[in-house]
Amino acid sequence: MSMPLSGEETRGKAKNRVAVLLCAGLSHSGAGLDIPEILRWFEGKDSEVSVHVLPDLCQRPEGLSRILQGGRATRVVLGLCGGRYEVGEVQAQVRRAGVDPLGLEVVDLGRLCVRAHPMGEATEKAKILLAAAVAKARVFPGSGPANAKPYLLSQLSRRSFLRFPPLGYQAVPSVLEERCVAEAGCSLCALSCPFDALAIVDGTVKLEKSRCASCGVCVTACPREAILFPGHTPGQVEAQVRTLLDPAVGDIQPRGILFTCPHARLPEGSWHPGWMPVLLPSLAMAPPTWFLAPLFMGAAAVGILPCPGGCPDGQNEVVLGRVNFCQDLLERVGASAELVQLNPLLTRPPGGEGELLWRGKRGDVAEGLAFSPAPGAMAAVLLRVLDSLSPGEALELEHPFSPLGVAEIQEEVCTGCGMCGRVCPTGALVFEEGEGHALLRFDPNLCTACGLCLPVCPERERGAIRVRRVLVPRRLKEGEGVVYREAVARCVACGAPIAPHKMLARVMALLPEEDPGLRNVLTRYCTSCRSFRGGL
């Protein structure tokens, strides 16, 4: 059996040859890595992965383009002694070899392995981290000019200093217009951006690159999966996590997933090798389901290590709220809240008493759903949690950071205008007219409680619609249902539909009593026939 570098992932394997480049300094940095053992481990596992050792990859990445061209690599993984490297030089050589530099995966094996664990553990962990980076690189979707943001390098070598301009390139999101529904009134990505880098202009999402901090928050704020952020797509995160937890990859057990961000402070000394870091551009990018899904892939626990000073513009509150939601949900189904830990004690192994209760009762989430921000996928993850320990049909968890919600329609007040269904970005609310009736359908599996339906409802003040952030397992299992039904009045002249009877009644209640002619035309004729009768 070949090493499953991305679980069941085989997509694009033949064309995505991966070059793993290791800095030779890893053999004597800290406790050191057994580099020959890593080479032997990769050898024969996958013919599309080649491993190379460079004398001073961190400081002098010379010959990199030659290696990539010779091996026909399309993806690159760097295993470094430290977090710093010659970004401009590496990106230039990668481009020269015809490889997309925004797909570069960098693993700080110095900080995560050789300075944290003895050689044996460090080597085993390095295998797992590198295999996960390969899996993530393999599903890199590629990037375009819209995804590249040039910036001036802050630290330059003499070689970089002599070039002008000394630029690096940072990935930024772009919009997949065929999936975007901004023209219909959706603005969730713009509303979520903590840096005001996104705006809706004439029904189109515009990105101001100079403002964008590449935090990734907009990626998961979009329920339509219309934001592409190369290097940090949900599919890439899923491939990485699945491989980090795959028992066929490496020998370390138990394992926990540690979600962290570039500014978080990992321990400088020894910590348990079972914690497997997943570096996100910002923890605020992760919806609650990202903290739960790894539990079904074999994680003994999930840890969240935020920035010490908090994420910018109040995003730390979002992270804490989402962790709290996960812990509340776990407790409600009879599991331990410690399965999802904020600031975990990394010197201890992942898991604990709660892990024993969970083991044997979990099953995987279908590939492609576990980390998708689409509401239907998040519902699948949450239902897996709920079904694992059978909390009972009466469970109802209302929480301000629930990723799903419920739109409640008061049928006696609703007039059936259908505006809520027209602006709903996920299709949770769908308005239909046909066979003499107006129908409004609602699917709680698709509702993110975004609230875009509220301001367009003309009867909101009368209580026609309410949106709650609440998780109701019974409603999720029931799925879509009709929440409003009303007969439609038809034109006495041509038979065409006019409007639901309740809407006509509401309009009549707002019209002055002294105009019976107008009232007669509105209630008996469609818009086309009114003009022939001297009406509106």
Side-chain angles (χ1 to χ4, degrees), residues 212-251:
C212 181
S214 301
C215 66
V217 170
C218 59
V219 175
T220 50
C222 175
R224 305 274 305 181
E225 299 182 281
I227 306 291
L228 175 66
F229 187 16
H232 299 285
T233 66
Q236 288 183 277
V237 176
E238 179 173 342
Q240 181 184 14
V241 171
R242 285 190 182 276
T243 306
L244 288 172
L245 296 173
D246 194 328
V249 180
D251 295 329

Side-chain angles (χ1 to χ4, degrees), residues 16 38 92 187 207 221 224 237 239 251 266 306 395 397 443 459 494:
N16 287 335
I38 293 176
S187 57
L207 172 70
R224 305 274 305 181
V237 176
D251 295 329
L266 287 168
L395 173 66
L397 177 58
D443 188 343
E459 305 298 330
C494 70

Side-chain angles (χ1 to χ4, degrees), residues 12-21 47-52 64-78 93-101 103-104 134 137-138:
K13 182 177 177 180
K15 65 179 181 180
N16 287 335
R17 298 175 63 89
V18 183
V20 177
L21 309 178
S47 61
E48 301 299 325
V49 175
S50 59
V51 185
H52 308 269
L64 193 151
S65 60
R66 175 179 50 80
I67 291 173
L68 299 182
Q69 290 169 346
R72 306 189 311 280
T74 58
R75 302 287 187 265
V76 179
V77 173
L78 302 184
Q93 292 206 38
V94 165
R95 287 199 308 275
R96 199 175 304 139
V99 178
D100 190 332
L104 188 70
V134 169
R138 273 218 167 105

Side-chain angles (χ1 to χ4, degrees), residues 189-190 196-201 204-208:
C189 59
D196 296 326
L198 291 167
I200 311 299
V201 180
T204 302
V205 180
K206 301 295 184 183
L207 172 70
E208 178 59 55

Side-chain angles (χ1 to χ4, degrees), residues 76-427:
V76 179
V77 173
L78 302 184
L80 304 179
C81 300
R84 294 180 179 177
Y85 66 103
E86 291 291 329
V87 176
E89 182 64 26
V90 168
Q91 288 187 343
Q93 292 206 38
V94 165
R95 287 199 308 275
R96 199 175 304 139
V99 178
D100 190 332
L102 297 184
L104 188 70
E105 288 296 322
V106 179
V107 186
D108 187 352
L109 296 177
R111 186 183 188 190
L112 302 179
C113 297
V114 298
R115 294 199 297 276
H117 314 299
M119 177 180 282
E121 291 180 346
T123 301
E124 281 302 306
K125 188 167 185 176
K127 294 175 186 177
I128 299 170
L129 296 180
L130 290 171
V134 169
K136 185 181 177 187
R138 273 218 167 105
V139 294
F140 173 69
S143 68
N147 300 115
K149 174 184 175 180
Y151 67 97
L152 287 172
L153 296 168
S154 58
Q155 293 195 353
L156 303 174
S157 64
R158 283 178 293 179
R159 178 190 296 255
S160 299
F161 184 77
L162 293 174
R163 289 200 309 268
F164 183 82
L167 294 177
Y169 291 89
Q170 174 182 344
V172 294
S174 61
V175 179
L176 302 174
E177 294 186 4
E178 66 276 12
R179 296 185 182 181
C180 181
V181 289
E183 190 174 7
C186 182
S187 57
L188 295 177
C189 59
L191 292 172
S192 73
C193 181
F195 302 99
D196 296 326
L198 291 167
I200 311 299
V201 180
D202 296 329
T204 302
V205 180
K206 301 295 184 183
L207 172 70
E208 178 59 55
K209 287 186 181 181
S210 62
R211 289 179 174 270
C212 181
S214 301
C215 66
V217 170
C218 59
V219 175
T220 50
C222 175
R224 305 274 305 181
E225 299 182 281
I227 306 291
L228 175 66
F229 187 16
H232 299 285
T233 66
Q236 288 183 277
V237 176
E238 179 173 342
Q240 181 184 14
V241 171
R242 285 190 182 276
T243 306
L244 288 172
L245 296 173
D246 194 328
V249 180
D251 295 329
I252 295 174
Q253 290 294 345
R255 299 184 202 175
I257 294 298
L258 179 67
F259 287 106
T260 184
C261 69
H263 303 293
R265 293 178 182 171
L266 287 168
E268 290 297 330
S270 177
W271 44 294
H272 195 277
W275 286 108
M276 300 292 165
V278 174
L279 183 66
L280 300 176
S282 167
L283 285 174
M285 176 187 183
T289 47
W290 286 23
F291 301 152
L292 295 169
L295 298 173
F296 303 104
M297 301 174 183
V302 173
I304 296 90
L305 189 65
C307 309
C311 295
D313 294 316
Q315 294 301 297
N316 204 48
E317 180 183 346
V318 173
V319 176
L320 299 181
R322 290 171 177 174
V323 171
N324 180 257
F325 167 80
C326 294
Q327 293 175 335
D328 281 0
L329 177 60
L330 290 168
E331 288 185 330
R332 293 289 291 272
V333 299
S336 170
E338 288 303 301
L339 287 169
V340 175
Q341 305 174 25
L342 183 68
N343 290 308
L345 187 58
L346 298 179
T347 55
R348 294 180 181 174
E353 294 180 2
E355 195 265 341
L356 297 176
L357 176 63
W358 195 262
R359 187 176 293 280
K361 298 183 179 180
R362 57 192 176 195
D364 202 355
V365 180
E367 187 172 359
L369 292 180
F371 287 83
S372 168
M378 292 193 291
V381 174
L382 295 172
L383 280 173
R384 178 67 74 184
V385 176
L386 296 164
D387 289 343
S388 295
L389 292 166
S390 302
E393 294 296 317
L395 173 66
E396 184 172 311
L397 177 58
E398 190 156 7
H399 195 285
F401 291 93
S402 170
L404 298 181
V406 172
E408 298 174 336
I409 306 297
Q410 297 299 318
E411 195 168 5
E412 65 276 10
V413 179
C414 176
T415 60
C417 69
M419 290 301 299
C420 56
R422 293 186 180 95
V423 301
C424 179
T426 66

